[in-house]
Amino acid sequence: MAIGWKLEAGARTRLLAAVAPRWPVPVADHITLRSKGPLPPPANIVAVGEADDGEGVQALVVTVDGSADRPDGGVFHITWSLDRSRGRKAAESNAVIARHGWRPLAAPLPVDAVPAEWEWVDP
């Protein structure tokens, strides 16, 4: 299981129009907080940056209530797009951010997302 926030349909469409997916498989559907436990409260989520390793993983860095720091030491993010032909997986996003850093977006983008629990499947 995964716990965090799921993007609302309109938010996903709006964000995909604002930040083009670089790789063939757009993911753009959730922000993970943890693997188990209670649902988080609603949060103010803002996309503030982008990471891309140039090898098939693109992620948007987000802040949750003003912080990009996830409690587990990772960075809050939305896996944005993947190149499956290179064997890339959504679970690699945090490692890409840690290795390559991220660059700020031209302007912060609000993210409409709701607290949720879902079965984890790496799309």
Side-chain angles (χ1 to χ4, degrees), residues 16-39:
L16 285 167
V19 180
R22 178 164 182 204
W23 305 104
V25 179
V27 180
D29 68 351
H30 71 271
I31 300 115
T32 301
L33 174 60
R34 58 182 169 258
S35 61
K36 60 184 175 179
L39 289 182

Side-chain angles (χ1 to χ4, degrees), residues 21-73:
R22 178 164 182 204
W23 305 104
V25 179
V27 180
D29 68 351
H30 71 271
I31 300 115
T32 301
L33 174 60
R34 58 182 169 258
S35 61
K36 60 184 175 179
L39 289 182
N44 179 31
I45 302 172
V46 179
V48 295
E50 180 183 7
D52 191 323
D53 66 358
E55 298 176 7
V57 175
Q58 177 190 23
L60 289 188
V61 172
V62 301
T63 59
V64 175
D65 292 333
S67 177
D69 298 329
R70 210 161 66 179
D72 66 0

Side-chain angles (χ1 to χ4, degrees), residues 6-121:
K6 290 286 248 179
L7 273 65
E8 294 180 356
R12 184 177 190 274
T13 301
R14 180 178 47 77
L15 289 168
L16 285 167
V19 180
R22 178 164 182 204
W23 305 104
V25 179
V27 180
D29 68 351
H30 71 271
I31 300 115
T32 301
L33 174 60
R34 58 182 169 258
S35 61
K36 60 184 175 179
L39 289 182
N44 179 31
I45 302 172
V46 179
V48 295
E50 180 183 7
D52 191 323
D53 66 358
E55 298 176 7
V57 175
Q58 177 190 23
L60 289 188
V61 172
V62 301
T63 59
V64 175
D65 292 333
S67 177
D69 298 329
R70 210 161 66 179
D72 66 0
V75 173
F76 283 120
H77 66 276
I78 304 167
T79 298
W80 206 242
S81 68
L82 300 170
D83 188 344
R84 289 281 186 212
S85 71
R86 297 179 188 208
R88 303 309 298 270
K89 298 185 179 289
E92 297 177 74
S93 292
N94 242 326
V96 166
I97 295 166
R99 253 192 326 268
H100 298 277
W102 55 277
R103 62 186 174 284
L105 295 175
L109 300 167
V111 177
D112 297 322
V114 295
E117 175 180 58
W118 61 94
E119 188 68 36
W120 172 250
V121 177

